[in-house]
């Protein structure tokens, strides 16, 4: 049975071409680039991690993103229904994606909340180049009980309001302003970071691979990060492109979005890693890295200038996070709308309440519940690991297998070329990637990441 996508009305669409690119890039660019990429690079040996990350983005990023765009635009349905319509046997892939979105939204708003909190900390002038002081500021925030939950709630509320309004009015507008501003501010920060004494060592750490550091776990972390950062493997890009008009050039979009996303991640790395080395902070400290190093960079700019830039930075980080979590919430919400025929407002309300409860658990697991472990990780790290290192790569593997083997080459070609209007000379290469290269790489990395090979 064909389901009505949006109850009672025709399906919403992005109103302009740049609107879609900004929304898709807005989904991709987020905490993944600015918070997660630098700290994973710091923790996993720098250059070796970055090199493998770039390989993943180039080989998998483009191929999988295009596969998701093709499925979404062809069916004009969100991921579960898209697969249900195309091939019932693959419906579980959509389901897995909704689950992954749900899990990520169970901790992402916690980090979003930290970012909001830092806007205020910067206003209050809590900046210092002293590692011990910045570490304390961060530590007391994340290990607290009510304060991080409060900031998470504020962040969550912003998501609820925008997603409840629907696609083009909320998501599109927010992204258009944010991405250019973010790029500008990062450029200023790059200059500041690279002019700090000793920062060149940090650059070397980031870009000169030490191959002895490449282990199964490092590769798994890099692969998971590629999926997370590009919003792939979970049907998010399927859902977004389901709102895309039939005239758009999918190949072009699938190239621009990963390039932008990677540029921003690398810029964030170039800001954060050299500065961390220059201040003598710990590169392997994990999730606190951006919240400790970046305020320290601002502290070097003096009280007024540092504060002004600091406020802009955390505001932008919050906005970047917001445009990503909107897309995560949208995956869950559009599943409920398209599948259960719920009203948008009801879907948003219901899912946010449950997600907020999971966020509370994730937040407390950084403090009072830190002794509670799942597979040796606290709740926060476990959710992050399960979604990004397991579910997203598995999802990506099935999506590419479906497009490569099961959908039918002619149908795929018709959709990707807009019925022959667009010339896509690498079509066969891309199909080969979907059939063999992407699934095999993912399979091997997963097996070595969990220690089987
Ligand atoms: N890509 C987003 C980020 O980098 C996170 C995200 C993952 C969003 C998966 C949607 C889907 O922050």
């Amino acid at each position: 049975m064909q389901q009505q996508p949006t109850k009672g009305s025709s399906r919403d669409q992005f109103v302009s071409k740049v609107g879609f690119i900004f929304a898709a890039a807005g989904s991709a660019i987020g905490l993944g680039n600015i918070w997660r990429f630098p700290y994973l690079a710091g923790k996993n040996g720098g250059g070796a991690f970055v090199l493998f990350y770039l390989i993943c983005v180039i080989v998998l990023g483009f191929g999988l993103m295009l596969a998701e765009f093709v499925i979404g635009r062809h069916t004009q349905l969100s991921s579960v229904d898209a697969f249900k319509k195309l091939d019932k046997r693959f419906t579980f892939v959509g389901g897995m994606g909704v689950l992954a979105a749900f899990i990520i939204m169970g901790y992402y708003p916690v980090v979003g909340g930290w970012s909001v909190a830092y806007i205020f900390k910067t206003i209050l002038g809590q900046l210092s180049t002293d590692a011990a002081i910045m570490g304390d500021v961060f530590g007391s925030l994340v290990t607290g009980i009510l304060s991080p939950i409060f900031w998470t709630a504020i962040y969550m509320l912003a998501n609820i309001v925008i997603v409840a309004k629907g696609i083009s009015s909320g998501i599109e507008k927010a992204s258009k302003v944010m991405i250019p501003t973010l790029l500008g501010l990062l450029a200023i920060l790059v200059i500041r970071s690279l002019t700090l004494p000793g920062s060149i060592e940090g650059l070397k750490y980031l870009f000169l691979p030490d191959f002895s550091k490449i282990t199964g776990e490092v590769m798994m972390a890099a692969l998971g990060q590629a999926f997370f950062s590009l919003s792939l493997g979970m049907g998010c890009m399927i859902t977004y492109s389901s709102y895309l008009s039939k005239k758009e050039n999918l190949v072009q979009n699938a190239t621009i979005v990963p390039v932008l996303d990677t540029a921003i991640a690398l810029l964030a790395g170039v800001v954060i890693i050299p500065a961390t080395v220059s201040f003598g902070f710990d590169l392997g400290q994990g999730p606190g890295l951006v919240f400790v190093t970046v305020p320290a960079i601002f502290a070097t700019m003096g009280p007024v200038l540092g504060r002004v830039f600091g406020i802009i930075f955390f505001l932008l980080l919050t906005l970047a996070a917001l445009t990503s979590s909107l897309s995560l919430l949208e995956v869950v919400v559009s599943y409920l709308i398209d599948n259960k025929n719920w009203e948008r407002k009801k879907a948003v309300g219901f899912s946010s309440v449950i997600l907020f409860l999971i966020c509370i658990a994730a937040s407390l697991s950084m403090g009072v519940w830190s002794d509670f472990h799942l597979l040796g990780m606290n709740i926060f790290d476990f959710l992050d690991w399960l979604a990004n290192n397991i579910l997203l790569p598995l999802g990506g593997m099935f999506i590419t297998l479906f497009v490569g083997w099961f959908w039918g080459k002619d149908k795929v070609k018709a959709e990707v070329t807009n019925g022959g209007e667009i010339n896509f000379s690498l079509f066969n290469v891309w199909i080969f990637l979907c059939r063999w290269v992407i699934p095999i790489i993912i399979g091997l990395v997963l097996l070595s990441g969990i220690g089987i090979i």
Side-chain angles (χ1 to χ4, degrees):
M1 188 187 74
Q2 171 95 33
Q3 299 204 345
Q4 210 33 32
T6 308
K7 207 177 178 184
S9 66
S10 71
R11 200 168 177 80
D12 209 350
Q13 275 202 350
F14 287 104
V15 292
S16 65
K17 180 185 170 63
V18 284
F20 175 76
I21 291 187
F22 277 117
S27 161
I29 297 161
L31 294 171
N33 310 59
I34 298 169
W35 162 71
R36 204 169 182 270
F37 175 79
Y39 98 66
L40 286 183
K43 210 169 102 181
N44 290 300
F49 172 88
V50 174
L51 179 70
F52 196 72
Y53 175 76
L54 290 176
I55 295 175
C56 289
V57 171
I58 294 166
V59 181
L60 283 74
F62 163 77
L64 180 54
M65 188 154 302
L66 187 56
E68 295 205 18
F69 283 172
V70 174
I71 295 175
R73 204 213 18 206
H74 181 79
T75 56
Q76 310 262 299
L77 292 167
S78 62
S79 59
V80 175
D81 279 332
F83 281 110
K84 218 187 255 173
K85 183 174 169 193
L86 292 171
D87 188 335
K88 283 214 161 44
R89 291 169 301 173
F90 279 82
T91 309
F92 78 96
V93 182
M96 233 165 60
V98 176
L99 180 67
F102 200 80
I103 294 176
I104 298 175
M105 271 308 273
Y107 71 91
Y108 201 97
V110 175
V111 186
W114 297 346
S115 179
V116 182
Y118 265 76
I119 300 175
F120 291 92
K121 287 187 183 302
T122 316
I123 294 175
L124 296 175
Q126 296 183 354
L127 306 172
S128 166
T129 51
D130 183 331
I133 296 178
M134 285 327 300
D136 278 352
V137 170
F138 180 71
S140 66
L141 169 70
V142 299
T143 57
I145 298 179
L146 283 182
S147 148
I149 295 177
F150 168 77
W151 293 113
T152 304
I154 301 277
Y155 179 81
M156 196 79 192
L157 215 62
N159 283 270
I160 296 171
V161 172
I162 300 180
V163 175
K165 281 181 147 190
I167 286 285
S168 45
S169 50
I171 297 179
E172 199 173 324
K173 268 188 208 147
S175 309
K176 267 188 199 165
V177 193
M178 182 212 80
I179 294 172
T181 328
L182 188 67
L183 270 169
L185 190 72
L186 276 177
I188 297 176
L189 280 173
V190 166
I191 297 168
R192 177 69 272 215
S193 176
L194 292 183
T195 48
L196 289 170
S199 64
I200 206 75
E201 286 310 309
L203 268 189
K204 284 189 192 151
Y205 181 79
L206 191 61
F207 289 115
L208 291 182
D210 169 356
F211 291 100
S212 67
K213 298 242 171 79
I214 297 194
T215 63
E217 246 172 90
V218 168
M219 288 196 295
M220 192 189 205
L223 179 78
Q225 172 62 14
F227 278 91
F228 179 73
S229 190
L230 295 171
S231 309
L232 291 176
M234 52 166 298
C236 177
M237 291 300 174
I238 296 182
T239 304
Y240 263 31
S241 53
S242 73
Y243 298 102
L244 196 55
S245 100
K246 291 282 180 195
K247 287 190 223 99
E248 293 295 342
N249 183 334
L250 298 181
V251 180
Q252 217 175 50
N253 281 304
T255 313
I256 297 174
V257 177
V259 167
L260 261 180
D261 186 75
T262 308
I264 297 214
L266 290 176
L267 277 181
V270 172
V271 170
I272 290 162
I273 303 287
T276 306
V277 174
S278 167
F279 292 125
F281 296 176
D282 175 14
L283 272 173
Q285 62 182 280
L289 189 61
V290 74
F291 294 101
V292 170
T293 300
V294 169
I297 305 178
F298 292 126
T300 66
M301 299 177 171
V304 178
L305 203 60
R307 229 181 260 197
V308 172
F309 276 124
I311 295 166
I312 302 176
F313 177 82
F314 285 110
L315 205 63
L316 282 173
L317 183 60
T318 306
L319 283 177
L322 201 60
T323 52
S324 300
S325 52
L326 294 175
S327 70
L328 287 158
L329 192 55
E330 180 63 27
V331 170
V332 178
V333 166
S334 60
Y335 165 75
L336 295 172
I337 296 175
D338 288 357
N339 244 270
K340 308 266 179 244
N341 242 6
W342 283 14
E343 293 284 351
R344 181 167 274 272
K345 288 211 164 64
K346 178 177 165 193
V348 173
F350 175 82
S351 45
S352 326
V353 169
I354 297 182
L355 289 169
F356 184 56
L357 294 176
I358 304 176
C359 284
I360 292 180
S363 176
L364 294 179
S365 79
M366 307 291 282
V368 286
W369 287 359
S370 61
D371 289 338
F372 178 74
H373 282 165
L374 293 160
L375 298 182
M377 293 168 257
N378 66 23
I379 300 175
F380 184 101
D381 291 338
F382 176 74
L383 295 173
D384 182 81
W385 174 83
L386 179 63
N388 303 322
N389 291 11
I390 307 286
L391 290 176
L392 299 187
L394 275 181
M397 182 165 164
F398 288 117
I399 290 170
T400 45
L401 285 174
F402 171 70
V403 170
W405 295 101
F406 295 92
W407 193 358
K409 227 173 146 180
D410 294 342
K411 285 186 217 147
V412 176
K413 189 162 195 174
E415 185 66 39
V416 88
T417 58
N418 295 358
E421 269 174 35
I422 289 167
N423 173 26
F424 179 30
S425 51
L426 294 177
F427 178 76
N428 285 325
V429 176
W430 173 60
I431 289 289
F432 182 76
L433 283 178
C434 290
R435 285 192 172 174
W436 301 101
V437 182
I438 298 179
I440 291 176
I441 294 184
I442 294 175
L444 289 176
V445 172
L446 279 183
L447 290 177
S448 83
I450 51 180
I452 293 180
I453 52 172

